[in-house]
Amino acid sequence: MIIHPNTNWIAILTTLRGSIARRIAPRCILITALASLIVWFESLYPATFQGSSAMPFTLLGLSLSIFMSFRNNACYARWWEGRQMWGKIIIEIRSFSREVSTLTDNHLRIELVHALCGFAHSLNARLRDRDEFEASRPWLPDTFRGDDCHNVSDAILMHVGRCCSDLADRAQISEWRYITLEQRLVGLSEAQANCERIKNTPLPFPYTLLLHRTTLIFCILLPFALAQPLGWLAPLFTSIVSYTFFGLDTIGDELEDPFGFDENDLPIDAMVRSIERDIFGASAQASLPPVLEPVNGVLT
């Protein structure tokens, strides 16, 4: 995620980090070059474009902008839901740590809260297509065997659930406290399922493909309508329009999967580090891991 603590008008005009300008620059340059070529051709043969009108492009541009707005809203909703789910994970782990703080067996209490920290690491790795077990292994007890699990995150929750059930059977926790702990685990499982749904269910491909094609066709044909009335101003206005439409299209692509490594994706590593600090604090450990700070304005 891009962090801009002091954004002024100079930064707005010059900032490239986090901007989609670099990704769409080749397309914008090609469209601008095409517009310049069309204007040059129109200056040699002015009669060729006398019958062209910008009215169809006005209607098409309006429809395209509305269509693009719907898609970007859907992509942003996925990004925001992903952030809400990770917020829920933080809440549930904090609440679980508070609920088990009264356990007399300090070793078991630390094992349980560390296992949930391993769950956060495992889910982070799962959403970013990395090794779940390797990411979570430092936080798990030696008795846990997850290297052959297809879903390590869920296996960790099952392990914690069995430990809580054993505590209830041995009357080390009351029945209502066991139910409360189980509700926390259910909340974590629900958050994991929702994150997996966002990750594994992209927007329908024909929907996205239609928008990509229509945007490209619109930007290619636009100079033909602007060449005759605007002359050499046509490449300038064409570049502005292409930057806007290509930019909105690319922003939607970035937000569609909020768990990746793009500059505008969610800072999951920073949220997992926040969970680590909470777990260390709940375990009464003096030295906490440092807060992850933005690197060159990017928080991962």
Side-chain angles (χ1 to χ4, degrees), residues 20 23-24 27 64 67-69 71-72 75 203 207-216 219 242-256:
I20 40 77
R23 293 183 58 180
I24 65 174
R27 283 176 286 176
L64 182 59
F67 182 40
M68 191 172 293
S69 175
R71 177 176 180 267
N72 277 23
C75 293
L203 292 179
Y207 186 83
T208 302
L209 182 62
L210 175 63
L211 183 59
H212 290 341
R213 287 177 174 174
T214 307
T215 302
L216 183 60
C219 292
S242 62
Y243 172 80
T244 302
F245 281 117
F246 286 147
L248 289 173
D249 192 21
T250 304
I251 289 173
D253 290 338
E254 280 197 6
L255 298 183
E256 185 176 359

PDB file of all heavy atoms in Angstrom, residues 20 23-24 27 64 67-69 71-72 75 203 207-216 219 242-256:
ATOM      1  N   ILE A  20      -0.278   4.477 -11.798  1.00  0.00           N
ATOM      2  CA  ILE A  20      -0.327   3.492 -12.877  1.00  0.00           C
ATOM      3  C   ILE A  20       0.271   4.057 -14.162  1.00  0.00           C
ATOM      4  O   ILE A  20       0.179   3.435 -15.213  1.00  0.00           O
ATOM      5  CB  ILE A  20      -1.789   3.033 -13.118  1.00  0.00           C
ATOM      6  CG1 ILE A  20      -2.775   4.214 -13.019  1.00  0.00           C
ATOM      7  CG2 ILE A  20      -2.189   1.956 -12.135  1.00  0.00           C
ATOM      8  CD1 ILE A  20      -2.805   5.097 -14.195  1.00  0.00           C
ATOM      9  N   ARG A  23       2.757   1.841 -16.021  1.00  0.00           N
ATOM     10  CA  ARG A  23       2.178   0.648 -16.642  1.00  0.00           C
ATOM     11  C   ARG A  23       1.451   0.958 -17.931  1.00  0.00           C
ATOM     12  O   ARG A  23       1.413   0.130 -18.849  1.00  0.00           O
ATOM     13  CB  ARG A  23       1.233  -0.043 -15.653  1.00  0.00           C
ATOM     14  CG  ARG A  23       1.932  -0.634 -14.445  1.00  0.00           C
ATOM     15  CD  ARG A  23       0.960  -1.360 -13.530  1.00  0.00           C
ATOM     16  NE  ARG A  23       0.242  -2.428 -14.226  1.00  0.00           N
ATOM     17  CZ  ARG A  23      -0.661  -3.214 -13.640  1.00  0.00           C
ATOM     18  NH1 ARG A  23      -0.944  -3.040 -12.353  1.00  0.00           N
ATOM     19  NH2 ARG A  23      -1.272  -4.148 -14.329  1.00  0.00           N
ATOM     20  N   ILE A  24       0.857   2.136 -18.011  1.00  0.00           N
ATOM     21  CA  ILE A  24       0.070   2.464 -19.202  1.00  0.00           C
ATOM     22  C   ILE A  24       0.819   3.384 -20.147  1.00  0.00           C
ATOM     23  O   ILE A  24       0.286   3.728 -21.206  1.00  0.00           O
ATOM     24  CB  ILE A  24      -1.264   3.125 -18.796  1.00  0.00           C
ATOM     25  CG1 ILE A  24      -1.018   4.484 -18.124  1.00  0.00           C
ATOM     26  CG2 ILE A  24      -2.073   2.208 -17.898  1.00  0.00           C
ATOM     27  CD1 ILE A  24      -2.286   5.252 -17.831  1.00  0.00           C
ATOM     28  N   ARG A  27       1.126   2.281 -23.942  1.00  0.00           N
ATOM     29  CA  ARG A  27      -0.129   2.394 -24.686  1.00  0.00           C
ATOM     30  C   ARG A  27      -0.474   3.851 -24.970  1.00  0.00           C
ATOM     31  O   ARG A  27      -0.905   4.195 -26.080  1.00  0.00           O
ATOM     32  CB  ARG A  27      -1.262   1.732 -23.890  1.00  0.00           C
ATOM     33  CG  ARG A  27      -1.260   0.214 -23.949  1.00  0.00           C
ATOM     34  CD  ARG A  27      -2.338  -0.372 -23.054  1.00  0.00           C
ATOM     35  NE  ARG A  27      -1.971  -0.281 -21.643  1.00  0.00           N
ATOM     36  CZ  ARG A  27      -2.767  -0.645 -20.641  1.00  0.00           C
ATOM     37  NH1 ARG A  27      -3.988  -1.078 -20.900  1.00  0.00           N
ATOM     38  NH2 ARG A  27      -2.360  -0.563 -19.385  1.00  0.00           N
ATOM     39  N   LEU A  64     -18.983   4.152 -21.902  1.00  0.00           N
ATOM     40  CA  LEU A  64     -17.788   3.443 -21.449  1.00  0.00           C
ATOM     41  C   LEU A  64     -17.391   3.862 -20.034  1.00  0.00           C
ATOM     42  O   LEU A  64     -16.996   3.020 -19.214  1.00  0.00           O
ATOM     43  CB  LEU A  64     -16.631   3.714 -22.420  1.00  0.00           C
ATOM     44  CG  LEU A  64     -15.309   3.001 -22.132  1.00  0.00           C
ATOM     45  CD1 LEU A  64     -15.496   1.493 -22.135  1.00  0.00           C
ATOM     46  CD2 LEU A  64     -14.251   3.414 -23.165  1.00  0.00           C
ATOM     47  N   PHE A  67     -19.756   2.148 -17.609  1.00  0.00           N
ATOM     48  CA  PHE A  67     -19.425   0.730 -17.558  1.00  0.00           C
ATOM     49  C   PHE A  67     -18.146   0.513 -16.747  1.00  0.00           C
ATOM     50  O   PHE A  67     -18.061  -0.385 -15.896  1.00  0.00           O
ATOM     51  CB  PHE A  67     -19.257   0.217 -18.986  1.00  0.00           C
ATOM     52  CG  PHE A  67     -18.956  -1.249 -19.089  1.00  0.00           C
ATOM     53  CD1 PHE A  67     -19.580  -2.159 -18.271  1.00  0.00           C
ATOM     54  CD2 PHE A  67     -18.054  -1.709 -20.037  1.00  0.00           C
ATOM     55  CE1 PHE A  67     -19.311  -3.519 -18.377  1.00  0.00           C
ATOM     56  CE2 PHE A  67     -17.776  -3.057 -20.150  1.00  0.00           C
ATOM     57  CZ  PHE A  67     -18.404  -3.958 -19.308  1.00  0.00           C
ATOM     58  N   MET A  68     -17.148   1.380 -16.967  1.00  0.00           N
ATOM     59  CA  MET A  68     -15.892   1.271 -16.239  1.00  0.00           C
ATOM     60  C   MET A  68     -16.085   1.581 -14.755  1.00  0.00           C
ATOM     61  O   MET A  68     -15.430   0.992 -13.894  1.00  0.00           O
ATOM     62  CB  MET A  68     -14.871   2.231 -16.864  1.00  0.00           C
ATOM     63  CG  MET A  68     -13.451   2.051 -16.392  1.00  0.00           C
ATOM     64  SD  MET A  68     -12.319   3.069 -17.358  1.00  0.00           S
ATOM     65  CE  MET A  68     -12.450   2.280 -18.963  1.00  0.00           C
ATOM     66  N   SER A  69     -16.986   2.504 -14.445  1.00  0.00           N
ATOM     67  CA  SER A  69     -17.259   2.838 -13.055  1.00  0.00           C
ATOM     68  C   SER A  69     -17.839   1.646 -12.313  1.00  0.00           C
ATOM     69  O   SER A  69     -17.464   1.379 -11.165  1.00  0.00           O
ATOM     70  CB  SER A  69     -18.219   4.026 -12.990  1.00  0.00           C
ATOM     71  OG  SER A  69     -18.590   4.310 -11.661  1.00  0.00           O
ATOM     72  N   ARG A  71     -17.318  -1.526 -12.966  1.00  0.00           N
ATOM     73  CA  ARG A  71     -16.249  -2.506 -12.754  1.00  0.00           C
ATOM     74  C   ARG A  71     -15.297  -2.057 -11.656  1.00  0.00           C
ATOM     75  O   ARG A  71     -14.905  -2.854 -10.791  1.00  0.00           O
ATOM     76  CB  ARG A  71     -15.478  -2.734 -14.046  1.00  0.00           C
ATOM     77  CG  ARG A  71     -14.292  -3.695 -13.883  1.00  0.00           C
ATOM     78  CD  ARG A  71     -13.619  -3.982 -15.202  1.00  0.00           C
ATOM     79  NE  ARG A  71     -12.507  -4.888 -15.022  1.00  0.00           N
ATOM     80  CZ  ARG A  71     -11.244  -4.500 -14.833  1.00  0.00           C
ATOM     81  NH1 ARG A  71     -10.955  -3.207 -14.813  1.00  0.00           N
ATOM     82  NH2 ARG A  71     -10.273  -5.384 -14.693  1.00  0.00           N
ATOM     83  N   ASN A  72     -14.909  -0.781 -11.661  1.00  0.00           N
ATOM     84  CA  ASN A  72     -13.993  -0.299 -10.635  1.00  0.00           C
ATOM     85  C   ASN A  72     -14.628  -0.342  -9.250  1.00  0.00           C
ATOM     86  O   ASN A  72     -13.947  -0.610  -8.253  1.00  0.00           O
ATOM     87  CB  ASN A  72     -13.535   1.124 -10.967  1.00  0.00           C
ATOM     88  CG  ASN A  72     -12.387   1.136 -11.965  1.00  0.00           C
ATOM     89  OD1 ASN A  72     -12.214   0.180 -12.711  1.00  0.00           O
ATOM     90  ND2 ASN A  72     -11.616   2.196 -11.982  1.00  0.00           N
ATOM     91  N   CYS A  75     -14.305  -3.900  -8.166  1.00  0.00           N
ATOM     92  CA  CYS A  75     -12.928  -4.210  -7.773  1.00  0.00           C
ATOM     93  C   CYS A  75     -12.587  -3.568  -6.432  1.00  0.00           C
ATOM     94  O   CYS A  75     -11.921  -4.189  -5.589  1.00  0.00           O
ATOM     95  CB  CYS A  75     -11.953  -3.745  -8.852  1.00  0.00           C
ATOM     96  SG  CYS A  75     -12.080  -4.655 -10.416  1.00  0.00           S
ATOM     97  N   LEU A 203     -13.321 -11.456 -11.200  1.00  0.00           N
ATOM     98  CA  LEU A 203     -14.472 -10.982 -11.962  1.00  0.00           C
ATOM     99  C   LEU A 203     -14.626 -11.809 -13.230  1.00  0.00           C
ATOM    100  O   LEU A 203     -13.634 -12.290 -13.781  1.00  0.00           O
ATOM    101  CB  LEU A 203     -14.293  -9.504 -12.328  1.00  0.00           C
ATOM    102  CG  LEU A 203     -14.330  -8.505 -11.171  1.00  0.00           C
ATOM    103  CD1 LEU A 203     -14.114  -7.089 -11.691  1.00  0.00           C
ATOM    104  CD2 LEU A 203     -15.638  -8.583 -10.411  1.00  0.00           C
ATOM    105  N   TYR A 207     -16.581 -10.137 -18.986  1.00  0.00           N
ATOM    106  CA  TYR A 207     -16.863  -8.777 -18.527  1.00  0.00           C
ATOM    107  C   TYR A 207     -15.615  -7.908 -18.619  1.00  0.00           C
ATOM    108  O   TYR A 207     -15.639  -6.783 -19.138  1.00  0.00           O
ATOM    109  CB  TYR A 207     -17.374  -8.878 -17.089  1.00  0.00           C
ATOM    110  CG  TYR A 207     -17.865  -7.587 -16.480  1.00  0.00           C
ATOM    111  CD1 TYR A 207     -19.150  -7.126 -16.711  1.00  0.00           C
ATOM    112  CD2 TYR A 207     -17.049  -6.840 -15.635  1.00  0.00           C
ATOM    113  CE1 TYR A 207     -19.615  -5.952 -16.127  1.00  0.00           C
ATOM    114  CE2 TYR A 207     -17.507  -5.670 -15.056  1.00  0.00           C
ATOM    115  CZ  TYR A 207     -18.788  -5.237 -15.305  1.00  0.00           C
ATOM    116  OH  TYR A 207     -19.238  -4.084 -14.733  1.00  0.00           O
ATOM    117  N   THR A 208     -14.503  -8.441 -18.131  1.00  0.00           N
ATOM    118  CA  THR A 208     -13.238  -7.705 -18.167  1.00  0.00           C
ATOM    119  C   THR A 208     -12.719  -7.574 -19.589  1.00  0.00           C
ATOM    120  O   THR A 208     -12.218  -6.512 -19.984  1.00  0.00           O
ATOM    121  CB  THR A 208     -12.201  -8.421 -17.281  1.00  0.00           C
ATOM    122  OG1 THR A 208     -12.696  -8.528 -15.941  1.00  0.00           O
ATOM    123  CG2 THR A 208     -10.884  -7.667 -17.266  1.00  0.00           C
ATOM    124  N   LEU A 209     -12.827  -8.645 -20.369  1.00  0.00           N
ATOM    125  CA  LEU A 209     -12.330  -8.612 -21.742  1.00  0.00           C
ATOM    126  C   LEU A 209     -13.072  -7.586 -22.583  1.00  0.00           C
ATOM    127  O   LEU A 209     -12.467  -6.852 -23.386  1.00  0.00           O
ATOM    128  CB  LEU A 209     -12.468 -10.008 -22.368  1.00  0.00           C
ATOM    129  CG  LEU A 209     -11.957 -10.162 -23.797  1.00  0.00           C
ATOM    130  CD1 LEU A 209     -10.464  -9.876 -23.878  1.00  0.00           C
ATOM    131  CD2 LEU A 209     -12.261 -11.562 -24.325  1.00  0.00           C
ATOM    132  N   LEU A 210     -14.381  -7.508 -22.417  1.00  0.00           N
ATOM    133  CA  LEU A 210     -15.169  -6.526 -23.161  1.00  0.00           C
ATOM    134  C   LEU A 210     -14.712  -5.109 -22.849  1.00  0.00           C
ATOM    135  O   LEU A 210     -14.586  -4.260 -23.748  1.00  0.00           O
ATOM    136  CB  LEU A 210     -16.649  -6.698 -22.826  1.00  0.00           C
ATOM    137  CG  LEU A 210     -17.604  -5.661 -23.439  1.00  0.00           C
ATOM    138  CD1 LEU A 210     -17.573  -5.748 -24.964  1.00  0.00           C
ATOM    139  CD2 LEU A 210     -19.019  -5.859 -22.925  1.00  0.00           C
ATOM    140  N   LEU A 211     -14.436  -4.835 -21.579  1.00  0.00           N
ATOM    141  CA  LEU A 211     -13.994  -3.497 -21.191  1.00  0.00           C
ATOM    142  C   LEU A 211     -12.620  -3.187 -21.780  1.00  0.00           C
ATOM    143  O   LEU A 211     -12.391  -2.079 -22.284  1.00  0.00           O
ATOM    144  CB  LEU A 211     -13.958  -3.385 -19.670  1.00  0.00           C
ATOM    145  CG  LEU A 211     -13.582  -2.017 -19.109  1.00  0.00           C
ATOM    146  CD1 LEU A 211     -14.560  -0.951 -19.597  1.00  0.00           C
ATOM    147  CD2 LEU A 211     -13.548  -2.048 -17.599  1.00  0.00           C
ATOM    148  N   HIS A 212     -11.692  -4.156 -21.734  1.00  0.00           N
ATOM    149  CA  HIS A 212     -10.363  -3.942 -22.312  1.00  0.00           C
ATOM    150  C   HIS A 212     -10.462  -3.621 -23.804  1.00  0.00           C
ATOM    151  O   HIS A 212      -9.828  -2.673 -24.297  1.00  0.00           O
ATOM    152  CB  HIS A 212      -9.496  -5.181 -22.104  1.00  0.00           C
ATOM    153  CG  HIS A 212      -9.094  -5.411 -20.681  1.00  0.00           C
ATOM    154  ND1 HIS A 212      -9.138  -4.428 -19.722  1.00  0.00           N
ATOM    155  CD2 HIS A 212      -8.615  -6.526 -20.050  1.00  0.00           C
ATOM    156  CE1 HIS A 212      -8.721  -4.919 -18.566  1.00  0.00           C
ATOM    157  NE2 HIS A 212      -8.402  -6.187 -18.743  1.00  0.00           N
ATOM    158  N   ARG A 213     -11.244  -4.408 -24.504  1.00  0.00           N
ATOM    159  CA  ARG A 213     -11.347  -4.224 -25.961  1.00  0.00           C
ATOM    160  C   ARG A 213     -12.011  -2.894 -26.302  1.00  0.00           C
ATOM    161  O   ARG A 213     -11.549  -2.169 -27.197  1.00  0.00           O
ATOM    162  CB  ARG A 213     -12.139  -5.379 -26.570  1.00  0.00           C
ATOM    163  CG  ARG A 213     -11.372  -6.696 -26.624  1.00  0.00           C
ATOM    164  CD  ARG A 213     -12.244  -7.806 -27.159  1.00  0.00           C
ATOM    165  NE  ARG A 213     -11.484  -9.039 -27.360  1.00  0.00           N
ATOM    166  CZ  ARG A 213     -12.033 -10.194 -27.718  1.00  0.00           C
ATOM    167  NH1 ARG A 213     -13.363 -10.273 -27.896  1.00  0.00           N
ATOM    168  NH2 ARG A 213     -11.285 -11.269 -27.880  1.00  0.00           N
ATOM    169  N   THR A 214     -13.098  -2.591 -25.615  1.00  0.00           N
ATOM    170  CA  THR A 214     -13.823  -1.355 -25.923  1.00  0.00           C
ATOM    171  C   THR A 214     -12.965  -0.130 -25.628  1.00  0.00           C
ATOM    172  O   THR A 214     -12.971   0.842 -26.392  1.00  0.00           O
ATOM    173  CB  THR A 214     -15.118  -1.290 -25.102  1.00  0.00           C
ATOM    174  OG1 THR A 214     -15.871  -2.490 -25.299  1.00  0.00           O
ATOM    175  CG2 THR A 214     -15.964  -0.104 -25.532  1.00  0.00           C
ATOM    176  N   THR A 215     -12.227  -0.159 -24.546  1.00  0.00           N
ATOM    177  CA  THR A 215     -11.342   0.961 -24.210  1.00  0.00           C
ATOM    178  C   THR A 215     -10.280   1.160 -25.279  1.00  0.00           C
ATOM    179  O   THR A 215     -10.007   2.295 -25.713  1.00  0.00           O
ATOM    180  CB  THR A 215     -10.676   0.715 -22.844  1.00  0.00           C
ATOM    181  OG1 THR A 215     -11.687   0.550 -21.848  1.00  0.00           O
ATOM    182  CG2 THR A 215      -9.779   1.872 -22.467  1.00  0.00           C
ATOM    183  N   LEU A 216      -9.672   0.084 -25.732  1.00  0.00           N
ATOM    184  CA  LEU A 216      -8.637   0.177 -26.760  1.00  0.00           C
ATOM    185  C   LEU A 216      -9.199   0.688 -28.076  1.00  0.00           C
ATOM    186  O   LEU A 216      -8.616   1.576 -28.719  1.00  0.00           O
ATOM    187  CB  LEU A 216      -7.983  -1.195 -26.953  1.00  0.00           C
ATOM    188  CG  LEU A 216      -6.828  -1.254 -27.951  1.00  0.00           C
ATOM    189  CD1 LEU A 216      -5.700  -0.336 -27.528  1.00  0.00           C
ATOM    190  CD2 LEU A 216      -6.329  -2.689 -28.116  1.00  0.00           C
ATOM    191  N   CYS A 219      -9.997   4.479 -27.845  1.00  0.00           N
ATOM    192  CA  CYS A 219      -8.814   5.353 -27.890  1.00  0.00           C
ATOM    193  C   CYS A 219      -8.164   5.355 -29.273  1.00  0.00           C
ATOM    194  O   CYS A 219      -7.578   6.367 -29.674  1.00  0.00           O
ATOM    195  CB  CYS A 219      -7.810   4.914 -26.828  1.00  0.00           C
ATOM    196  SG  CYS A 219      -8.365   5.201 -25.122  1.00  0.00           S
ATOM    197  N   SER A 242      -6.820   8.941 -23.266  1.00  0.00           N
ATOM    198  CA  SER A 242      -6.273   7.578 -23.180  1.00  0.00           C
ATOM    199  C   SER A 242      -5.663   7.329 -21.795  1.00  0.00           C
ATOM    200  O   SER A 242      -5.793   6.226 -21.242  1.00  0.00           O
ATOM    201  CB  SER A 242      -5.226   7.355 -24.271  1.00  0.00           C
ATOM    202  OG  SER A 242      -4.132   8.239 -24.127  1.00  0.00           O
ATOM    203  N   TYR A 243      -5.013   8.346 -21.216  1.00  0.00           N
ATOM    204  CA  TYR A 243      -4.462   8.197 -19.869  1.00  0.00           C
ATOM    205  C   TYR A 243      -5.586   7.926 -18.859  1.00  0.00           C
ATOM    206  O   TYR A 243      -5.447   7.070 -17.967  1.00  0.00           O
ATOM    207  CB  TYR A 243      -3.702   9.463 -19.475  1.00  0.00           C
ATOM    208  CG  TYR A 243      -3.266   9.492 -18.030  1.00  0.00           C
ATOM    209  CD1 TYR A 243      -2.134   8.799 -17.603  1.00  0.00           C
ATOM    210  CD2 TYR A 243      -3.990  10.221 -17.072  1.00  0.00           C
ATOM    211  CE1 TYR A 243      -1.735   8.821 -16.282  1.00  0.00           C
ATOM    212  CE2 TYR A 243      -3.597  10.242 -15.744  1.00  0.00           C
ATOM    213  CZ  TYR A 243      -2.467   9.549 -15.350  1.00  0.00           C
ATOM    214  OH  TYR A 243      -2.092   9.570 -14.032  1.00  0.00           O
ATOM    215  N   THR A 244      -6.698   8.634 -19.023  1.00  0.00           N
ATOM    216  CA  THR A 244      -7.814   8.457 -18.093  1.00  0.00           C
ATOM    217  C   THR A 244      -8.438   7.074 -18.212  1.00  0.00           C
ATOM    218  O   THR A 244      -8.596   6.354 -17.207  1.00  0.00           O
ATOM    219  CB  THR A 244      -8.883   9.532 -18.337  1.00  0.00           C
ATOM    220  OG1 THR A 244      -8.300  10.830 -18.194  1.00  0.00           O
ATOM    221  CG2 THR A 244     -10.034   9.379 -17.359  1.00  0.00           C
ATOM    222  N   PHE A 245      -8.745   6.656 -19.432  1.00  0.00           N
ATOM    223  CA  PHE A 245      -9.440   5.381 -19.614  1.00  0.00           C
ATOM    224  C   PHE A 245      -8.511   4.193 -19.364  1.00  0.00           C
ATOM    225  O   PHE A 245      -8.897   3.234 -18.681  1.00  0.00           O
ATOM    226  CB  PHE A 245     -10.045   5.298 -21.013  1.00  0.00           C
ATOM    227  CG  PHE A 245     -11.331   6.060 -21.154  1.00  0.00           C
ATOM    228  CD1 PHE A 245     -11.437   7.134 -22.020  1.00  0.00           C
ATOM    229  CD2 PHE A 245     -12.449   5.715 -20.428  1.00  0.00           C
ATOM    230  CE1 PHE A 245     -12.614   7.844 -22.152  1.00  0.00           C
ATOM    231  CE2 PHE A 245     -13.638   6.410 -20.540  1.00  0.00           C
ATOM    232  CZ  PHE A 245     -13.721   7.483 -21.408  1.00  0.00           C
ATOM    233  N   PHE A 246      -7.291   4.234 -19.904  1.00  0.00           N
ATOM    234  CA  PHE A 246      -6.351   3.152 -19.633  1.00  0.00           C
ATOM    235  C   PHE A 246      -6.011   3.084 -18.144  1.00  0.00           C
ATOM    236  O   PHE A 246      -5.829   2.006 -17.586  1.00  0.00           O
ATOM    237  CB  PHE A 246      -5.063   3.345 -20.448  1.00  0.00           C
ATOM    238  CG  PHE A 246      -5.225   3.042 -21.906  1.00  0.00           C
ATOM    239  CD1 PHE A 246      -4.501   3.748 -22.858  1.00  0.00           C
ATOM    240  CD2 PHE A 246      -6.080   2.051 -22.346  1.00  0.00           C
ATOM    241  CE1 PHE A 246      -4.635   3.485 -24.211  1.00  0.00           C
ATOM    242  CE2 PHE A 246      -6.233   1.774 -23.700  1.00  0.00           C
ATOM    243  CZ  PHE A 246      -5.503   2.499 -24.633  1.00  0.00           C
ATOM    244  N   GLY A 247      -5.923   4.264 -17.500  1.00  0.00           N
ATOM    245  CA  GLY A 247      -5.608   4.291 -16.076  1.00  0.00           C
ATOM    246  C   GLY A 247      -6.701   3.660 -15.232  1.00  0.00           C
ATOM    247  O   GLY A 247      -6.422   2.850 -14.339  1.00  0.00           O
ATOM    248  N   LEU A 248      -7.951   4.017 -15.494  1.00  0.00           N
ATOM    249  CA  LEU A 248      -9.058   3.427 -14.740  1.00  0.00           C
ATOM    250  C   LEU A 248      -9.130   1.920 -14.972  1.00  0.00           C
ATOM    251  O   LEU A 248      -9.424   1.148 -14.041  1.00  0.00           O
ATOM    252  CB  LEU A 248     -10.374   4.085 -15.149  1.00  0.00           C
ATOM    253  CG  LEU A 248     -10.577   5.535 -14.688  1.00  0.00           C
ATOM    254  CD1 LEU A 248     -11.836   6.116 -15.309  1.00  0.00           C
ATOM    255  CD2 LEU A 248     -10.657   5.611 -13.172  1.00  0.00           C
ATOM    256  N   ASP A 249      -8.856   1.504 -16.196  1.00  0.00           N
ATOM    257  CA  ASP A 249      -8.873   0.080 -16.513  1.00  0.00           C
ATOM    258  C   ASP A 249      -7.788  -0.659 -15.732  1.00  0.00           C
ATOM    259  O   ASP A 249      -8.022  -1.739 -15.170  1.00  0.00           O
ATOM    260  CB  ASP A 249      -8.667  -0.097 -18.015  1.00  0.00           C
ATOM    261  CG  ASP A 249      -8.971  -1.512 -18.470  1.00  0.00           C
ATOM    262  OD1 ASP A 249      -9.689  -2.231 -17.762  1.00  0.00           O
ATOM    263  OD2 ASP A 249      -8.478  -1.894 -19.552  1.00  0.00           O
ATOM    264  N   THR A 250      -6.594  -0.077 -15.655  1.00  0.00           N
ATOM    265  CA  THR A 250      -5.477  -0.715 -14.961  1.00  0.00           C
ATOM    266  C   THR A 250      -5.677  -0.704 -13.453  1.00  0.00           C
ATOM    267  O   THR A 250      -5.303  -1.661 -12.757  1.00  0.00           O
ATOM    268  CB  THR A 250      -4.162  -0.008 -15.322  1.00  0.00           C
ATOM    269  OG1 THR A 250      -4.001  -0.008 -16.747  1.00  0.00           O
ATOM    270  CG2 THR A 250      -2.973  -0.714 -14.705  1.00  0.00           C
ATOM    271  N   ILE A 251      -6.249   0.360 -12.915  1.00  0.00           N
ATOM    272  CA  ILE A 251      -6.530   0.406 -11.479  1.00  0.00           C
ATOM    273  C   ILE A 251      -7.473  -0.732 -11.089  1.00  0.00           C
ATOM    274  O   ILE A 251      -7.305  -1.381 -10.043  1.00  0.00           O
ATOM    275  CB  ILE A 251      -7.121   1.771 -11.090  1.00  0.00           C
ATOM    276  CG1 ILE A 251      -6.057   2.859 -11.179  1.00  0.00           C
ATOM    277  CG2 ILE A 251      -7.700   1.733  -9.674  1.00  0.00           C
ATOM    278  CD1 ILE A 251      -6.596   4.262 -10.970  1.00  0.00           C
ATOM    279  N   GLY A 252      -8.479  -0.975 -11.916  1.00  0.00           N
ATOM    280  CA  GLY A 252      -9.385  -2.092 -11.647  1.00  0.00           C
ATOM    281  C   GLY A 252      -8.654  -3.419 -11.610  1.00  0.00           C
ATOM    282  O   GLY A 252      -8.937  -4.276 -10.761  1.00  0.00           O
ATOM    283  N   ASP A 253      -7.684  -3.604 -12.538  1.00  0.00           N
ATOM    284  CA  ASP A 253      -6.901  -4.845 -12.552  1.00  0.00           C
ATOM    285  C   ASP A 253      -6.106  -5.005 -11.253  1.00  0.00           C
ATOM    286  O   ASP A 253      -5.975  -6.113 -10.730  1.00  0.00           O
ATOM    287  CB  ASP A 253      -5.947  -4.853 -13.751  1.00  0.00           C
ATOM    288  CG  ASP A 253      -6.691  -5.013 -15.067  1.00  0.00           C
ATOM    289  OD1 ASP A 253      -7.833  -5.514 -15.042  1.00  0.00           O
ATOM    290  OD2 ASP A 253      -6.127  -4.637 -16.114  1.00  0.00           O
ATOM    291  N   GLU A 254      -5.539  -3.902 -10.729  1.00  0.00           N
ATOM    292  CA  GLU A 254      -4.752  -3.990  -9.501  1.00  0.00           C
ATOM    293  C   GLU A 254      -5.623  -4.311  -8.294  1.00  0.00           C
ATOM    294  O   GLU A 254      -5.248  -5.113  -7.441  1.00  0.00           O
ATOM    295  CB  GLU A 254      -3.998  -2.676  -9.261  1.00  0.00           C
ATOM    296  CG  GLU A 254      -2.731  -2.531 -10.073  1.00  0.00           C
ATOM    297  CD  GLU A 254      -1.819  -1.453  -9.519  1.00  0.00           C
ATOM    298  OE1 GLU A 254      -2.136  -0.903  -8.443  1.00  0.00           O
ATOM    299  OE2 GLU A 254      -0.793  -1.165 -10.165  1.00  0.00           O
ATOM    300  N   LEU A 255      -6.776  -3.677  -8.209  1.00  0.00           N
ATOM    301  CA  LEU A 255      -7.620  -3.852  -7.032  1.00  0.00           C
ATOM    302  C   LEU A 255      -8.378  -5.169  -7.037  1.00  0.00           C
ATOM    303  O   LEU A 255      -8.881  -5.598  -5.990  1.00  0.00           O
ATOM    304  CB  LEU A 255      -8.616  -2.694  -6.923  1.00  0.00           C
ATOM    305  CG  LEU A 255      -8.031  -1.298  -6.745  1.00  0.00           C
ATOM    306  CD1 LEU A 255      -9.153  -0.275  -6.579  1.00  0.00           C
ATOM    307  CD2 LEU A 255      -7.090  -1.242  -5.547  1.00  0.00           C
ATOM    308  N   GLU A 256      -8.462  -5.820  -8.192  1.00  0.00           N
ATOM    309  CA  GLU A 256      -9.236  -7.054  -8.288  1.00  0.00           C
ATOM    310  C   GLU A 256      -8.681  -8.131  -7.372  1.00  0.00           C
ATOM    311  O   GLU A 256      -9.425  -8.901  -6.764  1.00  0.00           O
ATOM    312  CB  GLU A 256      -9.256  -7.541  -9.738  1.00  0.00           C
ATOM    313  CG  GLU A 256     -10.137  -8.751  -9.955  1.00  0.00           C
ATOM    314  CD  GLU A 256     -10.210  -9.155 -11.421  1.00  0.00           C
ATOM    315  OE1 GLU A 256      -9.584  -8.486 -12.269  1.00  0.00           O
ATOM    316  OE2 GLU A 256     -10.903 -10.147 -11.718  1.00  0.00           O
TER     317      GLU A 256
END
